[in-house]
Amino acid sequence: MLWATILSWRIMSMTKSVNVLVMDDADVIRKLVVAILTEIPQINEIIQAKDAGSAVKLMTEHQPQIAILDVKVPGNGEVKNGIDVLKWTKKFYPNTAVIMLTNHANERYREECKRAGANFFFDKSSEFDQLTGALDTLMADMVEDKLQTVDRSR
């Protein structure tokens, strides 16, 4: 019984420091995603961006473990949209998990995001309710990875 309590505490303490970046140019969607994230006790910090350039800057400053990115956002230079932010993220922070969101349910976007390394891709109009399950999966994967690291260190 004591072992289970210690393990449970250890899992919670390992995942309490999860930071999430949310990038969406639509205030309503961004606030909705933030409201969902606020309910997850393991989330430590929620960073918000309205455009691709801000997302890259904030990604560098905060190095979140999870990024939730809208496909179609304003951008400039190297990062013109959410897909460019995804590619940039996977190039410089390959261990960051990425969930892509879009209102444009074009199969081409889904495939491009998958090839670029997105963990999940959801159409906001028909699949948004799957966001919580995706976050649960990513959080469980983070705990599993940390537990395996602990086991390997013995």
Side-chain angles (χ1 to χ4, degrees):
M1 182 67 165
L2 179 60
W3 174 248
T5 303
I6 292 170
L7 183 59
S8 175
W9 175 83
R10 193 169 197 174
I11 289 171
M12 287 301 290
S13 67
M14 283 191 279
T15 60
K16 185 62 181 167
S17 62
V18 174
N19 297 332
V20 181
L21 172 77
V22 179
M23 179 193 70
D24 200 307
D25 58 330
D27 290 337
V28 173
I29 298 296
R30 202 173 56 256
K31 287 177 182 177
L32 180 58
V33 172
V34 168
I36 291 167
L37 293 171
T38 303
E39 297 297 316
I40 301 172
Q42 295 86 357
I43 302 294
N44 181 54
E45 183 179 22
I46 302 167
I47 306 110
Q48 299 181 53
K50 290 184 177 187
D51 60 71
S54 297
V56 166
K57 181 177 184 269
L58 292 168
M59 185 80 67
T60 302
E61 291 172 9
H62 297 271
Q63 299 180 15
Q65 289 79 21
I66 300 173
I68 302 172
L69 309 174
D70 184 15
V71 169
K72 291 278 192 173
V73 294
N76 55 36
E78 182 184 345
V79 286
K80 296 175 180 61
N81 55 46
I83 295 173
D84 287 346
V85 175
L86 164 63
K87 291 174 181 177
W88 184 92
T89 300
K90 289 302 182 176
K91 178 178 179 180
F92 293 102
Y93 301 100
N95 294 326
T96 298
V98 179
I99 299 172
M100 299 299 294
L101 302 174
T102 188
N103 276 329
H104 309 279
N106 185 326
E107 216 35 56
R108 181 185 67 112
Y109 290 136
R110 188 179 298 270
E111 288 304 314
E112 186 173 357
C113 290
K114 185 178 178 181
R115 279 192 310 274
N119 299 77
F120 293 94
F121 182 100
F122 298 122
D123 178 349
K124 293 182 214 175
S125 61
S126 64
E127 300 172 324
F128 194 78
D129 59 334
Q130 296 177 44
L131 180 60
T132 304
L135 289 164
D136 288 343
T137 299
L138 294 175
M139 300 292 278
D141 289 349
M142 286 178 193
V143 169
E144 173 102 2
D145 288 347
K146 288 182 180 180
L147 286 175
Q148 288 175 1
T149 302
V150 169
D151 287 344
R152 280 187 241 128
S153 66
R154 292 183 179 195

Coordinates of all heavy atoms in Angstrom, one line a residue, residues 19-21 59 62-69 85-86 88-90 92-99 116-119 138 142:
N19 N 4.5 22.1 -19.4 CA 4.1 23.4 -19.9 C 3.5 23.2 -21.3 O 4.0 22.3 -22.1 CB 5.3 24.3 -20.0 CG 5.9 24.6 -18.7 OD1 5.2 24.6 -17.7 ND2 7.2 24.8 -18.6
V20 N 2.5 24.0 -21.7 CA 1.8 23.8 -22.9 C 1.7 25.2 -23.6 O 1.4 26.2 -23.0 CB 0.4 23.3 -22.7 CG1 -0.3 23.1 -24.1 CG2 0.4 22.0 -22.0
L21 N 2.1 25.2 -24.9 CA 1.9 26.4 -25.8 C 0.7 26.2 -26.6 O 0.5 25.1 -27.2 CB 3.1 26.5 -26.7 CG 3.0 27.6 -27.8 CD1 3.2 29.0 -27.1 CD2 3.9 27.4 -28.9
M59 N 8.2 29.5 -27.8 CA 8.7 28.1 -27.8 C 10.1 28.1 -27.3 O 10.5 27.3 -26.5 CB 8.6 27.5 -29.2 CG 8.9 26.0 -29.2 SD 7.7 24.9 -28.7 CE 6.4 25.1 -29.9
H62 N 10.2 29.2 -23.5 CA 9.5 28.4 -22.5 C 9.8 26.9 -22.7 O 9.6 26.1 -21.7 CB 8.0 28.6 -22.4 CG 7.7 30.0 -22.0 ND1 7.5 30.4 -20.7 CD2 7.5 31.1 -22.7 CE1 7.2 31.7 -20.6 NE2 7.2 32.2 -21.8
Q63 N 10.1 26.5 -23.9 CA 10.4 25.1 -24.2 C 9.3 24.1 -23.7 O 9.6 23.2 -22.9 CB 11.8 24.6 -23.8 CG 12.9 25.4 -24.4 CD 14.3 25.1 -24.0 OE1 14.5 24.0 -23.4 NE2 15.2 25.9 -24.3
P64 N 8.1 24.3 -24.1 CA 7.0 23.5 -23.6 C 7.1 22.0 -24.0 O 7.7 21.7 -25.1 CB 5.7 24.1 -24.2 CG 6.2 24.8 -25.4 CD 7.6 25.3 -25.1
Q65 N 6.5 21.2 -23.2 CA 6.5 19.7 -23.6 C 5.4 19.4 -24.6 O 5.5 18.4 -25.3 CB 6.3 18.9 -22.3 CG 7.4 18.9 -21.4 CD 7.5 20.1 -20.5 OE1 6.5 20.8 -20.3 NE2 8.7 20.4 -20.0
I66 N 4.3 20.3 -24.6 CA 3.2 20.1 -25.6 C 2.9 21.4 -26.3 O 2.9 22.4 -25.6 CB 2.0 19.6 -24.8 CG1 2.2 18.2 -24.1 CG2 0.8 19.4 -25.8 CD1 1.1 17.8 -23.3
A67 N 2.7 21.3 -27.6 CA 2.2 22.5 -28.3 C 0.9 22.2 -29.0 O 0.8 21.1 -29.6 CB 3.3 22.9 -29.3
I68 N 0.0 23.1 -28.9 CA -1.3 22.9 -29.6 C -1.4 24.1 -30.6 O -1.4 25.2 -30.2 CB -2.5 23.0 -28.6 CG1 -2.4 21.9 -27.6 CG2 -3.8 22.9 -29.4 CD1 -3.4 21.9 -26.4
L69 N -1.3 23.7 -31.9 CA -1.1 24.7 -33.0 C -2.3 24.7 -34.0 O -2.6 23.6 -34.5 CB 0.2 24.4 -33.7 CG 1.5 24.2 -32.9 CD1 2.6 23.8 -33.8 CD2 1.8 25.5 -32.1
V85 N 5.3 26.3 -38.1 CA 5.7 26.2 -36.7 C 5.9 24.7 -36.2 O 6.9 24.4 -35.5 CB 4.6 26.9 -35.8 CG1 4.9 26.7 -34.3 CG2 4.5 28.4 -36.1
L86 N 5.1 23.8 -36.7 CA 5.2 22.4 -36.4 C 6.6 21.9 -36.9 O 7.3 21.3 -36.2 CB 4.1 21.6 -37.1 CG 4.3 20.1 -37.3 CD1 4.4 19.4 -35.9 CD2 3.2 19.5 -38.1
W88 N 9.3 23.7 -37.6 CA 10.3 24.4 -36.8 C 10.5 23.7 -35.4 O 11.6 23.4 -35.0 CB 10.0 25.9 -36.7 CG 11.0 26.6 -36.0 CD1 12.1 27.3 -36.5 CD2 11.2 26.8 -34.5 NE1 12.8 27.9 -35.5 CE2 12.3 27.6 -34.3 CE3 10.4 26.4 -33.4 CZ2 12.7 28.0 -33.1 CZ3 10.9 26.7 -32.2 CH2 12.0 27.5 -32.0
T89 N 9.3 23.4 -34.8 CA 9.4 22.8 -33.5 C 10.0 21.4 -33.5 O 10.9 21.1 -32.7 CB 7.9 22.6 -32.9 OG1 7.3 23.9 -32.8 CG2 7.9 22.0 -31.6
K90 N 9.7 20.6 -34.5 CA 10.3 19.3 -34.6 C 11.8 19.3 -35.0 O 12.5 18.4 -34.6 CB 9.5 18.4 -35.6 CG 8.1 18.0 -35.1 CD 8.2 17.3 -33.8 CE 6.9 16.8 -33.2 NZ 7.1 16.0 -32.0
F92 N 13.9 21.9 -33.9 CA 14.7 22.4 -32.8 C 14.3 21.8 -31.4 O 15.1 21.7 -30.5 CB 14.5 23.9 -32.7 CG 15.2 24.6 -33.9 CD1 14.4 25.1 -34.9 CD2 16.6 24.7 -33.9 CE1 15.0 25.7 -36.0 CE2 17.2 25.3 -35.0 CZ 16.4 25.8 -36.1
Y93 N 13.1 21.2 -31.3 CA 12.6 20.6 -30.1 C 11.9 19.3 -30.4 O 10.6 19.2 -30.3 CB 11.7 21.6 -29.3 CG 12.4 22.9 -28.9 CD1 12.2 24.0 -29.7 CD2 13.3 22.9 -27.8 CE1 12.8 25.2 -29.3 CE2 13.9 24.1 -27.5 CZ 13.7 25.2 -28.3 OH 14.4 26.4 -28.0
P94 N 12.6 18.3 -30.9 CA 11.9 17.1 -31.5 C 11.1 16.3 -30.4 O 10.2 15.6 -30.8 CB 13.1 16.3 -32.0 CG 14.3 16.8 -31.3 CD 14.0 18.3 -31.0
N95 N 11.4 16.5 -29.2 CA 10.6 15.8 -28.1 C 9.3 16.5 -27.7 O 8.5 15.9 -26.9 CB 11.5 15.5 -26.9 CG 12.6 14.6 -27.2 OD1 12.5 13.7 -28.0 ND2 13.8 14.8 -26.6
T96 N 9.1 17.7 -28.2 CA 7.8 18.4 -28.0 C 6.7 17.7 -28.7 O 6.8 17.5 -29.9 CB 7.9 19.9 -28.4 OG1 8.9 20.5 -27.6 CG2 6.6 20.6 -28.1
A97 N 5.7 17.3 -28.0 CA 4.5 16.7 -28.6 C 3.6 17.8 -29.2 O 3.5 18.9 -28.6 CB 3.7 16.0 -27.5
V98 N 3.1 17.6 -30.4 CA 2.3 18.6 -31.1 C 1.0 18.1 -31.5 O 0.8 17.0 -32.1 CB 3.1 19.1 -32.4 CG1 2.3 20.2 -33.1 CG2 4.5 19.6 -32.0
I99 N -0.1 18.9 -31.1 CA -1.4 18.6 -31.6 C -1.8 19.8 -32.5 O -1.7 20.9 -32.2 CB -2.4 18.7 -30.4 CG1 -2.0 17.6 -29.4 CG2 -3.8 18.5 -30.9 CD1 -2.8 17.6 -28.1
A116 N 5.2 15.7 -41.0 CA 6.1 16.7 -40.3 C 6.3 16.3 -38.8 O 7.1 17.0 -38.1 CB 5.5 18.1 -40.4
G117 N 5.5 15.3 -38.3 CA 5.7 14.9 -36.9 C 4.6 15.2 -35.9 O 4.8 15.0 -34.7
A118 N 3.5 15.7 -36.4 CA 2.4 16.0 -35.5 C 1.9 14.7 -34.8 O 1.8 13.6 -35.4 CB 1.2 16.6 -36.2
N119 N 1.7 14.7 -33.5 CA 1.2 13.6 -32.8 C -0.3 13.4 -33.0 O -0.8 12.2 -33.1 CB 1.4 13.8 -31.3 CG 2.9 13.9 -30.9 OD1 3.5 14.9 -31.2 ND2 3.5 12.8 -30.5
L138 N -1.0 11.9 -24.3 CA 0.4 12.5 -24.2 C 0.9 12.6 -22.8 O 2.1 12.3 -22.6 CB 0.4 13.9 -24.8 CG 0.1 14.0 -26.3 CD1 -0.1 15.4 -26.8 CD2 1.1 13.3 -27.1
M142 N 4.2 10.7 -21.3 CA 5.3 11.4 -20.6 C 5.6 10.7 -19.3 O 6.8 10.5 -18.9 CB 4.9 12.9 -20.3 CG 4.9 13.7 -21.5 SD 4.4 15.4 -21.1 CE 4.2 16.0 -22.8

